[in-house]
Amino acid sequence: MTDKAALAGPDGAPRCPWALSTEDYIAYHDEEWGRPVHGDDALFERLSLEAFQSGLSWLTILRRRAGFRTAFAGFRIAAVAEFTDADRERLLADAGIIRNRAKIDATLGNARVLAGWAPGDLDALIWSHAPDPAGRPAPAALTDVPAVTPESTALSKALKKQGLRFVGPTTAYALMQACGLVDDHLKDCVARRT
């Protein structure tokens, strides 16, 4: 990780340095990352994609997101929970996604667990771990952005306790960042909300 503060993007506006390597990242950074995401299916998608990202570049996932959405029925929990062994084999052969057996199995298993929850329960559980934004100063540089927090550790434990997999504290924090539970855009970044 670099200690750099926000840097000028192609349009001259300051952005988080990680977002400047490709146009894909700039669009994701400006339009999605750190924006509040609600809804069980939308959060299931983000949770699943963060799990698939583990050990890989986020850009790899971002560029295959359309393939993931097609392969996993738009990440509709009820639909994915009904996937069969034939669907699992189809996913393992799908070059449009990351063909990692453990991550595919975790996504299918997580959908089956979540299918038994009441509507809104996943949203409520995840958002109950959002820290008070007043207690978090805006990061000035990337070195000020943690990889794990007490809240992400607690969220990870809560998800695991409910039977979800591939939801460690680092993955939970990446989810919190991506879904707007925290605003880790640097203080001078054009996309910062608070």
Side-chain angles (χ1 to χ4, degrees):
M1 192 173 287
T2 178
D3 63 353
K4 291 183 180 175
L7 298 174
D11 60 359
R15 288 183 177 79
C16 301
W18 64 262
L20 298 176
S21 63
T22 71
E23 287 187 22
D24 294 333
Y25 266 159
I26 292 171
Y28 176 70
H29 169 272
D30 289 2
E31 299 164 18
E32 292 184 61
W33 192 75
R35 302 280 188 261
V37 173
H38 286 282
D40 293 344
D41 290 342
L43 288 166
F44 172 61
E45 175 182 356
R46 298 295 179 91
L47 185 64
S48 299
L49 293 178
E50 292 295 347
F52 273 101
Q53 185 273 328
S54 181
L56 302 170
S57 160
W58 178 248
L59 190 58
T60 300
I61 303 303
L62 194 57
R63 288 182 172 166
R64 293 181 184 207
R65 186 164 52 173
F68 275 107
R69 286 176 173 163
T70 298
F72 285 97
F75 288 98
R76 292 183 318 277
I77 294 168
V80 178
E82 296 296 322
F83 278 20
T84 64
D85 287 341
D87 290 308
R88 180 178 177 269
E89 293 307 311
R90 171 184 57 81
L91 292 168
L92 288 168
D94 189 336
I97 65 169
I98 305 302
R99 295 173 288 182
N100 179 295
R101 183 179 309 275
K103 293 174 183 180
I104 289 170
D105 288 346
T107 302
L108 300 180
N110 290 348
R112 291 180 187 118
V113 168
L114 294 171
W117 292 19
D121 279 359
L122 179 60
D123 190 298
L125 175 64
I126 289 173
W127 278 90
S128 72
H129 290 83
D132 178 0
R136 292 178 48 103
L142 292 180
T143 52
D144 298 330
V145 178
V148 175
T149 64
E151 294 88 0
S152 74
T153 300
L155 175 56
S156 172
K157 287 180 182 176
L159 292 169
K160 287 178 182 180
K161 183 177 180 181
Q162 295 297 324
L164 300 182
R165 298 182 299 177
F166 264 91
V167 290
T170 303
T171 298
Y173 194 66
L175 175 76
M176 293 171 79
Q177 290 174 304
C179 295
L181 280 74
V182 296
D183 186 355
D184 275 345
H185 286 285
L186 301 183
K187 71 176 183 174
D188 296 327
C189 178
V190 68
R192 185 157 180 90
R193 297 183 326 259
T194 55

